[in-house]
Amino acid sequence: MAQHTSSADQSRAKVGLAVAIGNFMEWFDFAVYGFFAAIIGTLFFPPDTSPFVAILSSLAVFAVGFVMRPLGGFILGPIGDKYGRRIALSVSVLTMGIATTLIGLTPTYETIGVFAPILLVLLRCFQGLSAGGEWTGSAAFLVESTPTGRRGIYASIISGTAALATIVGSLFALFLNNVLSEEDLLSWGWRLPFLMAAPLALVGLYIRWKLGETPVYKNVQASGEVKKNPLTGNFRKNLKPILLTLAIAAVQGLGFYYLATYVVNYLTTTLMLERGPALTFSAIGLTVYMILCPIAGALSDKFGRRKLNLAGTAAYVILPIPVFMLMSGGQGAAVVAGIVLLSMAQCLVSVTTVVMLVELFPASSRSSASAIGFNFALAFIAGPGPFIATWIAGATGSAVAPAGYMVLVALLALPVVWKWLPETAGRDITAEHHAAETDDVLVR
């Protein structure tokens, strides 16, 4: 028995490590674009463009990647349900690696003119397509391989490694900012983190390909429940959990991209801080968030997903305006405190969203159905968040006004979550049920 338990724990540790490494690689690549948005705006758009319009254009290209996320979900989700979670994850990490490497090799506007932003948009689309299958695919793979009572804490690996990737990206950007001259940074230095995607993609692909399928998916195969058309077969029954996923993912995604992408640009373009201190403050705040993620996961295993997600959503209604008022003075301690306050709300919504992407859906259509609501939320609500926030700050001249978008999204999601989100902790995720149709009691 002890040997069996040890073997199972070792297998779960291997799955956790594989998902963590692959997820890190995906989100390092994706986050790097946000950190170099100002430089990319300068290099890939006409030289007579004002700095504000240049960064706005760069962030618009960032948002374009999110528009492709639903397509990525439509492609990679059914692959995960029909051919296995491992196949879908391998495709996503390879696609992200190729697209990111090519961004690092793309000539600038000075060299090829208008083709530079066109190529940038095209490659961002492929990044978005890849990301459309990564988060939900990682959630399915990891949570389906995890003991019932520990799904929350294991799910925190996905949230935590996304934060870690953002931290490493920010520190690497800070390192380049400190050791390279501005001329070298603009000439070739910004390309380095994008070119790192090639070896990272190969490592991620190798690790994921060596994994076996999840026990849940093996059961689906063994019972003959693999569906020919997983997207359409159960769409009507999946509609309610898809809409719930849309609500919780909108808050979760927007909060993460404010923390991971917008904060640095806010500090440098709105508060006019130097890029070095801005990256440092962001890294400190995100480190606290990363530490809080497993705590939130453990709490969700003990008290349930619903209570924690409600608390995090309500916090996003209450906190953003005071937090942006706190940060608006540009003082280091106040900025870090503000980011930490947002991180406390974010860890609650992020970890619970990851695990509910699995628990809200039946096994045979989980990868497809969860990707629909999640990616539509990130494509049309969360993804444009940094662009909308930058536009609000520029249009109003207010350092506090960008908080309004966060408050609005959380305010719209809160009644939906309050009224319809069921408790899913302890649910049998191997069953062909639909979480929105039942109201399971939390199993401890």
Side-chain angles (χ1 to χ4, degrees), residues 34-36 166-167 169-177 263-265 267-268 273-286:
F35 287 120
F36 287 99
T166 309
I167 293 165
S170 68
L171 292 178
F172 190 62
L174 179 61
F175 170 76
L176 293 177
N177 194 70
V263 163
V264 172
N265 291 320
L267 296 177
T268 55
L273 297 183
E274 293 293 327
R275 188 163 183 81
L279 288 168
T280 302
F281 298 153
S282 174
I284 293 171
L286 283 169

Side-chain angles (χ1 to χ4, degrees), residues 15 85-86 140-142 144-145 212-219:
V15 168
R85 321 301 194 207
R86 182 189 64 153
F141 196 96
L142 184 59
E144 286 184 352
S145 305
E213 271 302 337
T214 70
V216 172
Y217 188 75
K218 288 179 181 178
N219 287 339

